[in-house]
Amino acid sequence: MNKKQEIQIVDVAPRDGFQAVKAPIPTVSKIEVSKALAAANFKRIEVGSFVSPKAIPQMADTKDVHAALSGLSDVRLSTLVPNAIGAKNAIEAGVSDLVFVLSASESHNQSNVKRSVSNSFGELEKIVDMGKCVEGFMLRFNIATVFDCPFEGRVLEQTVQDIIAQAVDLDFPIEFGLCDTTGRAFPDHVASFCSQVIEQYKSNKDIGWAFHGHDTYGLGVANALYAYDAGVRVFDAAAAGLGGCPFALGAS
C-alpha cells in the first residue's frame, strides 16, 4: 500500500445516515451537521436526496438544506437522485453535483426505486442529457448491490460489468460508486472486482472510482482497505457510523 497517495472521503451521513432515522430531524439540525462536517475539513458532503417524500419523508427538505449550504466555499455538495424527475428537481434547485443510483440486481432495484434495471438505465441516459446543459455538472453513478443482494445473494460480476460498460458507452465523465449495499461483501471479492474494473478502464481519464461500504458484519474497514489496495481513492463514510439502505433488511 502506498500511503502517500491522497484519498477523498465523501461524508454521506446527511443522506445515507439520516434517511434511516424514522423521527423527523429538524432542517436546521441537518444544516448544522453539514456545516460542522465542512468545518472539520470534509471537502465532499452528500447533503440529501431528491426522492419522493412518500418514500423517504426524512429527505423532503433537501432543497432547503442545499440552499442553506450553497455558500460554503471549497466544498462539493452532492445530492442523490433515483430518476430523471429527481435530477430535474435537483438541477432546478441549483444542484450540479448529482449521485444517481441503480441496483445491479433486479429484485433490489424494484424494491429500491420501483422499476427494472433497464428502465433505471434509461433514466441515467436522460440525466446525462440534462447534465450536458448544466455548467459544472458532475455525476456519480452509484451501482448498488455490486457484491451482494439481500434477496438474490452474491451478484454475478458480469452483470455489474455490463452495467459499467453501458454507462461508459454514454461517453460522459462519470465517477462510479461500487456499493456493498448489505455489508456482506468479503475483502477478497472487493479487491478482485475493484482491481478488475480499474485495470480495464485505466486508459479512460473520464472515469473515476469510489467505494461505498457498510460495517453491518464488521468488514467495512477491511473492505475499504482492500479497495484502496486495488486502486480506489474515493470512499464514502458517515459521521457516527449512521447509514444503511432502508430497502435492504438488516442493512440499516
Short mmCIF file of all heavy atoms in Angstrom, two decimals, residues 82-143:
data_model
loop_
_atom_site.label_atom_id
_atom_site.label_comp_id
_atom_site.label_asym_id
_atom_site.label_seq_id
_atom_site.Cartn_x
_atom_site.Cartn_y
_atom_site.Cartn_z
N PRO A 82 -32.91 9.23 -7.74
CA PRO A 82 -33.19 7.87 -8.22
C PRO A 82 -33.72 7.82 -9.65
O PRO A 82 -33.88 6.75 -10.21
CB PRO A 82 -34.28 7.40 -7.25
CG PRO A 82 -35.03 8.67 -6.94
CD PRO A 82 -34.03 9.80 -7.00
N ASN A 83 -34.00 9.00 -10.22
CA ASN A 83 -34.61 9.04 -11.54
C ASN A 83 -34.45 10.43 -12.16
O ASN A 83 -33.91 11.35 -11.52
CB ASN A 83 -36.09 8.66 -11.47
CG ASN A 83 -36.84 9.45 -10.40
OD1 ASN A 83 -36.64 10.65 -10.26
ND2 ASN A 83 -37.67 8.77 -9.64
N ALA A 84 -34.94 10.58 -13.39
CA ALA A 84 -34.79 11.85 -14.11
C ALA A 84 -35.61 12.96 -13.46
O ALA A 84 -35.21 14.13 -13.50
CB ALA A 84 -35.18 11.66 -15.57
N ILE A 85 -36.76 12.62 -12.89
CA ILE A 85 -37.57 13.65 -12.22
C ILE A 85 -36.81 14.23 -11.04
O ILE A 85 -36.76 15.45 -10.83
CB ILE A 85 -38.92 13.06 -11.76
CG1 ILE A 85 -39.78 12.69 -12.98
CG2 ILE A 85 -39.66 14.03 -10.86
CD1 ILE A 85 -41.08 12.00 -12.62
N GLY A 86 -36.19 13.36 -10.25
CA GLY A 86 -35.38 13.82 -9.13
C GLY A 86 -34.23 14.68 -9.60
O GLY A 86 -33.90 15.70 -8.98
N ALA A 87 -33.60 14.28 -10.71
CA ALA A 87 -32.49 15.06 -11.25
C ALA A 87 -32.95 16.44 -11.71
O ALA A 87 -32.28 17.45 -11.45
CB ALA A 87 -31.85 14.31 -12.42
N LYS A 88 -34.10 16.49 -12.37
CA LYS A 88 -34.65 17.77 -12.83
C LYS A 88 -34.93 18.68 -11.63
O LYS A 88 -34.58 19.87 -11.65
CB LYS A 88 -35.93 17.52 -13.62
CG LYS A 88 -36.59 18.78 -14.17
CD LYS A 88 -37.81 18.41 -15.02
CE LYS A 88 -38.48 19.66 -15.62
NZ LYS A 88 -39.10 20.49 -14.57
N ASN A 89 -35.53 18.12 -10.59
CA ASN A 89 -35.82 18.91 -9.40
C ASN A 89 -34.54 19.41 -8.73
O ASN A 89 -34.47 20.54 -8.25
CB ASN A 89 -36.64 18.09 -8.41
CG ASN A 89 -38.04 17.80 -8.90
OD1 ASN A 89 -38.57 18.51 -9.75
ND2 ASN A 89 -38.65 16.75 -8.37
N ALA A 90 -33.52 18.55 -8.71
CA ALA A 90 -32.25 18.94 -8.10
C ALA A 90 -31.58 20.05 -8.89
O ALA A 90 -31.10 21.04 -8.32
CB ALA A 90 -31.33 17.72 -8.01
N ILE A 91 -31.55 19.91 -10.20
CA ILE A 91 -30.91 20.92 -11.05
C ILE A 91 -31.64 22.25 -10.92
O ILE A 91 -31.01 23.31 -10.83
CB ILE A 91 -30.86 20.43 -12.51
CG1 ILE A 91 -29.86 19.26 -12.64
CG2 ILE A 91 -30.48 21.57 -13.45
CD1 ILE A 91 -29.92 18.55 -13.97
N GLU A 92 -32.97 22.20 -10.89
CA GLU A 92 -33.75 23.43 -10.74
C GLU A 92 -33.51 24.08 -9.38
O GLU A 92 -33.67 25.30 -9.22
CB GLU A 92 -35.23 23.13 -10.93
CG GLU A 92 -35.61 22.82 -12.38
CD GLU A 92 -37.08 22.47 -12.54
OE1 GLU A 92 -37.77 22.30 -11.51
OE2 GLU A 92 -37.54 22.38 -13.71
N ALA A 93 -33.09 23.26 -8.40
CA ALA A 93 -32.78 23.78 -7.07
C ALA A 93 -31.35 24.28 -6.97
O ALA A 93 -30.91 24.69 -5.89
CB ALA A 93 -33.04 22.71 -6.02
N GLY A 94 -30.62 24.22 -8.08
CA GLY A 94 -29.25 24.72 -8.09
C GLY A 94 -28.18 23.69 -7.80
O GLY A 94 -27.02 24.04 -7.59
N VAL A 95 -28.55 22.41 -7.80
CA VAL A 95 -27.59 21.34 -7.54
C VAL A 95 -26.97 20.90 -8.86
O VAL A 95 -27.68 20.54 -9.79
CB VAL A 95 -28.25 20.14 -6.85
CG1 VAL A 95 -27.21 19.08 -6.52
CG2 VAL A 95 -29.00 20.57 -5.59
N SER A 96 -25.66 20.90 -8.93
CA SER A 96 -24.97 20.48 -10.16
C SER A 96 -24.12 19.23 -9.94
O SER A 96 -23.46 18.75 -10.86
CB SER A 96 -24.08 21.61 -10.70
OG SER A 96 -23.13 21.98 -9.73
N ASP A 97 -24.13 18.69 -8.72
CA ASP A 97 -23.34 17.51 -8.37
C ASP A 97 -24.32 16.42 -7.95
O ASP A 97 -24.82 16.42 -6.82
CB ASP A 97 -22.38 17.85 -7.23
CG ASP A 97 -21.27 16.82 -7.06
OD1 ASP A 97 -21.47 15.67 -7.45
OD2 ASP A 97 -20.21 17.18 -6.51
N LEU A 98 -24.63 15.51 -8.87
CA LEU A 98 -25.67 14.52 -8.62
C LEU A 98 -25.10 13.11 -8.44
O LEU A 98 -24.08 12.76 -9.03
CB LEU A 98 -26.68 14.49 -9.77
CG LEU A 98 -27.44 15.79 -10.06
CD1 LEU A 98 -28.51 15.54 -11.13
CD2 LEU A 98 -28.08 16.35 -8.79
N VAL A 99 -25.79 12.34 -7.62
CA VAL A 99 -25.47 10.93 -7.41
C VAL A 99 -26.68 10.12 -7.85
O VAL A 99 -27.73 10.16 -7.21
CB VAL A 99 -25.17 10.65 -5.92
CG1 VAL A 99 -24.82 9.18 -5.72
CG2 VAL A 99 -24.05 11.55 -5.41
N PHE A 100 -26.53 9.41 -8.95
CA PHE A 100 -27.62 8.56 -9.45
C PHE A 100 -27.40 7.14 -8.96
O PHE A 100 -26.27 6.64 -8.96
CB PHE A 100 -27.66 8.57 -10.97
CG PHE A 100 -28.67 7.61 -11.56
CD1 PHE A 100 -30.03 7.89 -11.50
CD2 PHE A 100 -28.26 6.42 -12.14
CE1 PHE A 100 -30.97 7.01 -12.03
CE2 PHE A 100 -29.19 5.52 -12.67
CZ PHE A 100 -30.55 5.83 -12.62
N VAL A 101 -28.47 6.48 -8.53
CA VAL A 101 -28.33 5.11 -8.01
C VAL A 101 -29.18 4.13 -8.81
O VAL A 101 -30.32 4.42 -9.17
CB VAL A 101 -28.70 5.05 -6.51
CG1 VAL A 101 -30.15 5.46 -6.29
CG2 VAL A 101 -28.44 3.66 -5.94
N LEU A 102 -28.57 3.00 -9.08
CA LEU A 102 -29.21 1.87 -9.78
C LEU A 102 -28.66 0.61 -9.14
O LEU A 102 -27.48 0.55 -8.78
CB LEU A 102 -28.88 1.94 -11.26
CG LEU A 102 -29.18 0.78 -12.21
CD1 LEU A 102 -29.30 1.31 -13.64
CD2 LEU A 102 -28.07 -0.28 -12.18
N SER A 103 -29.50 -0.40 -8.96
CA SER A 103 -29.04 -1.66 -8.37
C SER A 103 -28.68 -2.66 -9.47
O SER A 103 -29.38 -2.76 -10.48
CB SER A 103 -30.12 -2.27 -7.48
OG SER A 103 -30.48 -1.39 -6.45
N ALA A 104 -27.62 -3.41 -9.23
CA ALA A 104 -27.21 -4.43 -10.20
C ALA A 104 -28.20 -5.58 -10.24
O ALA A 104 -28.35 -6.25 -11.27
CB ALA A 104 -25.82 -4.93 -9.87
N SER A 105 -28.89 -5.83 -9.12
CA SER A 105 -29.86 -6.92 -9.06
C SER A 105 -31.27 -6.39 -9.30
O SER A 105 -31.64 -5.33 -8.79
CB SER A 105 -29.79 -7.63 -7.70
OG SER A 105 -30.13 -6.73 -6.66
N GLU A 106 -32.04 -7.14 -10.09
CA GLU A 106 -33.40 -6.71 -10.44
C GLU A 106 -34.28 -6.57 -9.20
O GLU A 106 -35.04 -5.60 -9.07
CB GLU A 106 -34.03 -7.71 -11.41
CG GLU A 106 -33.46 -7.69 -12.82
CD GLU A 106 -33.89 -6.46 -13.61
OE1 GLU A 106 -34.81 -5.74 -13.17
OE2 GLU A 106 -33.28 -6.22 -14.67
N SER A 107 -34.21 -7.53 -8.28
CA SER A 107 -35.10 -7.52 -7.13
C SER A 107 -34.85 -6.32 -6.24
O SER A 107 -35.79 -5.68 -5.75
CB SER A 107 -34.97 -8.81 -6.33
OG SER A 107 -33.63 -9.02 -5.95
N HIS A 108 -33.59 -5.96 -6.01
CA HIS A 108 -33.31 -4.81 -5.16
C HIS A 108 -33.65 -3.51 -5.88
O HIS A 108 -34.12 -2.55 -5.25
CB HIS A 108 -31.85 -4.78 -4.72
CG HIS A 108 -31.57 -3.71 -3.70
ND1 HIS A 108 -31.07 -2.47 -4.05
CD2 HIS A 108 -31.77 -3.67 -2.36
CE1 HIS A 108 -30.96 -1.73 -2.97
NE2 HIS A 108 -31.37 -2.43 -1.93
N ASN A 109 -33.46 -3.46 -7.19
CA ASN A 109 -33.82 -2.24 -7.91
C ASN A 109 -35.33 -2.01 -7.85
O ASN A 109 -35.80 -0.88 -7.67
CB ASN A 109 -33.37 -2.33 -9.37
CG ASN A 109 -33.12 -0.96 -9.98
OD1 ASN A 109 -32.25 -0.22 -9.53
ND2 ASN A 109 -33.90 -0.59 -10.98
N GLN A 110 -36.10 -3.10 -7.96
CA GLN A 110 -37.55 -2.97 -7.84
C GLN A 110 -37.93 -2.52 -6.43
O GLN A 110 -38.82 -1.67 -6.25
CB GLN A 110 -38.23 -4.32 -8.16
CG GLN A 110 -38.20 -4.70 -9.62
CD GLN A 110 -39.18 -3.89 -10.47
OE1 GLN A 110 -39.95 -3.08 -9.97
NE2 GLN A 110 -39.14 -4.11 -11.77
N SER A 111 -37.26 -3.05 -5.43
CA SER A 111 -37.55 -2.68 -4.04
C SER A 111 -37.13 -1.25 -3.74
O SER A 111 -37.83 -0.52 -3.03
CB SER A 111 -36.81 -3.64 -3.09
OG SER A 111 -36.98 -3.25 -1.74
N ASN A 112 -36.01 -0.83 -4.33
CA ASN A 112 -35.42 0.46 -4.00
C ASN A 112 -36.04 1.61 -4.79
O ASN A 112 -36.37 2.66 -4.22
CB ASN A 112 -33.91 0.40 -4.26
CG ASN A 112 -33.15 1.53 -3.62
OD1 ASN A 112 -33.51 2.01 -2.54
ND2 ASN A 112 -32.10 1.99 -4.27
N VAL A 113 -36.21 1.43 -6.11
CA VAL A 113 -36.69 2.54 -6.95
C VAL A 113 -37.91 2.17 -7.80
O VAL A 113 -38.32 2.95 -8.66
CB VAL A 113 -35.55 3.08 -7.86
CG1 VAL A 113 -34.45 3.70 -7.03
CG2 VAL A 113 -35.00 2.00 -8.78
N LYS A 114 -38.46 0.99 -7.56
CA LYS A 114 -39.73 0.58 -8.17
C LYS A 114 -39.69 0.52 -9.70
O LYS A 114 -40.65 0.88 -10.38
CB LYS A 114 -40.87 1.52 -7.75
CG LYS A 114 -40.95 1.78 -6.27
CD LYS A 114 -41.19 0.51 -5.49
CE LYS A 114 -41.42 0.84 -4.01
NZ LYS A 114 -40.76 -0.04 -3.09
N ARG A 115 -38.59 0.04 -10.25
CA ARG A 115 -38.53 -0.14 -11.70
C ARG A 115 -37.45 -1.16 -12.04
O ARG A 115 -36.64 -1.53 -11.19
CB ARG A 115 -38.25 1.19 -12.43
CG ARG A 115 -37.02 1.93 -11.95
CD ARG A 115 -36.68 3.11 -12.85
NE ARG A 115 -37.81 3.97 -13.12
CZ ARG A 115 -38.18 5.00 -12.36
NH1 ARG A 115 -37.50 5.29 -11.25
NH2 ARG A 115 -39.21 5.76 -12.67
N SER A 116 -37.45 -1.62 -13.29
CA SER A 116 -36.45 -2.59 -13.71
C SER A 116 -35.10 -1.91 -13.88
O SER A 116 -35.01 -0.68 -14.00
CB SER A 116 -36.87 -3.23 -15.04
OG SER A 116 -36.81 -2.26 -16.09
N VAL A 117 -34.05 -2.72 -13.92
CA VAL A 117 -32.71 -2.18 -14.14
C VAL A 117 -32.64 -1.48 -15.49
O VAL A 117 -32.05 -0.41 -15.63
CB VAL A 117 -31.64 -3.30 -14.05
CG1 VAL A 117 -30.28 -2.77 -14.46
CG2 VAL A 117 -31.60 -3.87 -12.64
N SER A 118 -33.25 -2.08 -16.50
CA SER A 118 -33.26 -1.49 -17.83
C SER A 118 -33.93 -0.12 -17.83
O SER A 118 -33.42 0.84 -18.42
CB SER A 118 -33.98 -2.42 -18.81
OG SER A 118 -34.09 -1.84 -20.09
N ASN A 119 -35.06 -0.01 -17.15
CA ASN A 119 -35.76 1.28 -17.09
C ASN A 119 -34.95 2.31 -16.31
O ASN A 119 -34.93 3.49 -16.65
CB ASN A 119 -37.14 1.11 -16.45
CG ASN A 119 -38.13 0.45 -17.38
OD1 ASN A 119 -37.92 0.41 -18.59
ND2 ASN A 119 -39.20 -0.09 -16.84
N SER A 120 -34.27 1.86 -15.26
CA SER A 120 -33.41 2.77 -14.50
C SER A 120 -32.27 3.30 -15.36
O SER A 120 -31.90 4.47 -15.27
CB SER A 120 -32.84 2.07 -13.26
OG SER A 120 -33.75 2.10 -12.19
N PHE A 121 -31.73 2.42 -16.21
CA PHE A 121 -30.64 2.87 -17.08
C PHE A 121 -31.15 3.93 -18.05
O PHE A 121 -30.43 4.87 -18.39
CB PHE A 121 -30.00 1.71 -17.83
CG PHE A 121 -28.64 2.05 -18.35
CD1 PHE A 121 -27.52 1.87 -17.55
CD2 PHE A 121 -28.47 2.61 -19.60
CE1 PHE A 121 -26.26 2.22 -18.01
CE2 PHE A 121 -27.22 2.97 -20.07
CZ PHE A 121 -26.11 2.77 -19.27
N GLY A 122 -32.38 3.79 -18.48
CA GLY A 122 -32.98 4.82 -19.33
C GLY A 122 -33.05 6.16 -18.61
O GLY A 122 -32.87 7.22 -19.23
N GLU A 123 -33.28 6.12 -17.30
CA GLU A 123 -33.29 7.35 -16.50
C GLU A 123 -31.90 7.97 -16.46
O GLU A 123 -31.74 9.19 -16.53
CB GLU A 123 -33.78 7.06 -15.08
CG GLU A 123 -35.20 6.54 -14.99
CD GLU A 123 -36.22 7.58 -15.43
OE1 GLU A 123 -36.38 8.59 -14.73
OE2 GLU A 123 -36.85 7.37 -16.49
N LEU A 124 -30.87 7.12 -16.36
CA LEU A 124 -29.49 7.62 -16.37
C LEU A 124 -29.20 8.34 -17.67
O LEU A 124 -28.57 9.41 -17.68
CB LEU A 124 -28.51 6.46 -16.17
CG LEU A 124 -27.03 6.81 -16.30
CD1 LEU A 124 -26.60 7.82 -15.24
CD2 LEU A 124 -26.16 5.55 -16.23
N GLU A 125 -29.64 7.78 -18.78
CA GLU A 125 -29.40 8.42 -20.08
C GLU A 125 -30.04 9.81 -20.13
O GLU A 125 -29.45 10.75 -20.64
CB GLU A 125 -29.96 7.53 -21.20
CG GLU A 125 -29.20 6.22 -21.36
CD GLU A 125 -29.84 5.31 -22.39
OE1 GLU A 125 -31.09 5.28 -22.44
OE2 GLU A 125 -29.10 4.63 -23.13
N LYS A 126 -31.23 9.93 -19.57
CA LYS A 126 -31.91 11.24 -19.53
C LYS A 126 -31.12 12.22 -18.66
O LYS A 126 -30.99 13.40 -18.99
CB LYS A 126 -33.32 11.08 -18.97
CG LYS A 126 -34.26 10.28 -19.84
CD LYS A 126 -35.61 10.09 -19.14
CE LYS A 126 -36.53 9.19 -19.93
NZ LYS A 126 -37.81 8.94 -19.21
N ILE A 127 -30.58 11.73 -17.55
CA ILE A 127 -29.82 12.60 -16.64
C ILE A 127 -28.54 13.09 -17.31
O ILE A 127 -28.15 14.26 -17.17
CB ILE A 127 -29.52 11.86 -15.33
CG1 ILE A 127 -30.83 11.62 -14.56
CG2 ILE A 127 -28.52 12.63 -14.47
CD1 ILE A 127 -30.69 10.70 -13.37
N VAL A 128 -27.88 12.20 -18.04
CA VAL A 128 -26.68 12.60 -18.77
C VAL A 128 -27.01 13.69 -19.77
O VAL A 128 -26.27 14.69 -19.90
CB VAL A 128 -26.03 11.39 -19.45
CG1 VAL A 128 -24.97 11.84 -20.46
CG2 VAL A 128 -25.40 10.46 -18.42
N ASP A 129 -28.12 13.54 -20.48
CA ASP A 129 -28.54 14.57 -21.44
C ASP A 129 -28.80 15.91 -20.74
O ASP A 129 -28.44 16.97 -21.25
CB ASP A 129 -29.80 14.12 -22.19
CG ASP A 129 -29.51 13.04 -23.22
OD1 ASP A 129 -28.34 12.91 -23.62
OD2 ASP A 129 -30.46 12.33 -23.61
N MET A 130 -29.41 15.87 -19.57
CA MET A 130 -29.62 17.10 -18.79
C MET A 130 -28.29 17.72 -18.39
O MET A 130 -28.08 18.93 -18.50
CB MET A 130 -30.42 16.79 -17.50
CG MET A 130 -31.85 16.41 -17.68
SD MET A 130 -32.59 16.18 -16.03
CE MET A 130 -33.94 15.08 -16.45
N GLY A 131 -27.38 16.87 -17.93
CA GLY A 131 -26.11 17.35 -17.43
C GLY A 131 -25.27 18.06 -18.47
O GLY A 131 -24.49 18.96 -18.14
N LYS A 132 -25.44 17.68 -19.73
CA LYS A 132 -24.69 18.32 -20.81
C LYS A 132 -25.04 19.80 -20.95
O LYS A 132 -24.28 20.56 -21.55
CB LYS A 132 -24.94 17.59 -22.12
CG LYS A 132 -24.34 16.18 -22.16
CD LYS A 132 -24.72 15.45 -23.43
CE LYS A 132 -24.12 14.05 -23.47
NZ LYS A 132 -24.51 13.29 -24.68
N CYS A 133 -26.18 20.19 -20.39
CA CYS A 133 -26.64 21.58 -20.49
C CYS A 133 -26.44 22.36 -19.21
O CYS A 133 -26.85 23.53 -19.12
CB CYS A 133 -28.13 21.61 -20.88
SG CYS A 133 -28.52 20.73 -22.41
N VAL A 134 -25.80 21.74 -18.22
CA VAL A 134 -25.62 22.38 -16.91
C VAL A 134 -24.15 22.68 -16.68
O VAL A 134 -23.32 21.76 -16.71
CB VAL A 134 -26.16 21.48 -15.77
CG1 VAL A 134 -25.92 22.13 -14.42
CG2 VAL A 134 -27.64 21.20 -15.97
N GLU A 135 -23.83 23.92 -16.44
CA GLU A 135 -22.44 24.31 -16.22
C GLU A 135 -21.93 23.68 -14.92
O GLU A 135 -22.58 23.71 -13.89
CB GLU A 135 -22.33 25.83 -16.12
CG GLU A 135 -20.90 26.32 -15.98
CD GLU A 135 -20.81 27.83 -15.96
OE1 GLU A 135 -21.85 28.50 -16.14
OE2 GLU A 135 -19.69 28.35 -15.76
N GLY A 136 -20.75 23.08 -15.01
CA GLY A 136 -20.12 22.49 -13.83
C GLY A 136 -20.76 21.20 -13.36
O GLY A 136 -20.51 20.75 -12.23
N PHE A 137 -21.55 20.57 -14.22
CA PHE A 137 -22.26 19.35 -13.83
C PHE A 137 -21.28 18.21 -13.56
O PHE A 137 -20.34 17.99 -14.32
CB PHE A 137 -23.23 18.94 -14.94
CG PHE A 137 -24.07 17.74 -14.61
CD1 PHE A 137 -25.21 17.87 -13.84
CD2 PHE A 137 -23.73 16.48 -15.08
CE1 PHE A 137 -26.00 16.78 -13.54
CE2 PHE A 137 -24.52 15.37 -14.79
CZ PHE A 137 -25.65 15.52 -14.02
N MET A 138 -21.51 17.49 -12.45
CA MET A 138 -20.70 16.32 -12.10
C MET A 138 -21.62 15.17 -11.75
O MET A 138 -22.67 15.37 -11.13
CB MET A 138 -19.76 16.64 -10.94
CG MET A 138 -18.62 17.58 -11.33
SD MET A 138 -17.52 18.01 -9.95
CE MET A 138 -18.49 19.28 -9.15
N LEU A 139 -21.23 13.96 -12.14
CA LEU A 139 -22.10 12.81 -11.96
C LEU A 139 -21.37 11.66 -11.29
O LEU A 139 -20.34 11.20 -11.75
CB LEU A 139 -22.62 12.34 -13.32
CG LEU A 139 -23.52 11.10 -13.31
CD1 LEU A 139 -24.81 11.36 -12.53
CD2 LEU A 139 -23.85 10.66 -14.74
N ARG A 140 -21.92 11.22 -10.17
CA ARG A 140 -21.54 9.95 -9.55
C ARG A 140 -22.63 8.94 -9.89
O ARG A 140 -23.81 9.22 -9.72
CB ARG A 140 -21.42 10.12 -8.04
CG ARG A 140 -21.56 8.83 -7.22
CD ARG A 140 -20.31 8.00 -7.16
NE ARG A 140 -19.38 8.54 -6.20
CZ ARG A 140 -19.38 8.23 -4.89
NH1 ARG A 140 -20.26 7.39 -4.39
NH2 ARG A 140 -18.49 8.77 -4.09
N PHE A 141 -22.23 7.78 -10.36
CA PHE A 141 -23.16 6.70 -10.66
C PHE A 141 -22.94 5.60 -9.65
O PHE A 141 -22.00 4.82 -9.74
CB PHE A 141 -22.92 6.20 -12.09
CG PHE A 141 -23.78 5.04 -12.51
CD1 PHE A 141 -24.91 4.65 -11.80
CD2 PHE A 141 -23.45 4.31 -13.65
CE1 PHE A 141 -25.68 3.58 -12.20
CE2 PHE A 141 -24.22 3.23 -14.07
CZ PHE A 141 -25.34 2.87 -13.33
N ASN A 142 -23.80 5.55 -8.62
CA ASN A 142 -23.70 4.51 -7.60
C ASN A 142 -24.40 3.24 -8.09
O ASN A 142 -25.61 3.25 -8.35
CB ASN A 142 -24.37 4.97 -6.30
CG ASN A 142 -23.44 5.75 -5.41
OD1 ASN A 142 -22.26 5.91 -5.71
ND2 ASN A 142 -23.96 6.25 -4.30
N ILE A 143 -23.64 2.17 -8.19
CA ILE A 143 -24.22 0.87 -8.52
C ILE A 143 -24.39 0.10 -7.22
O ILE A 143 -23.41 -0.30 -6.58
CB ILE A 143 -23.33 0.09 -9.50
CG1 ILE A 143 -23.02 0.93 -10.74
CG2 ILE A 143 -24.01 -1.22 -9.90
CD1 ILE A 143 -22.06 0.27 -11.70
#
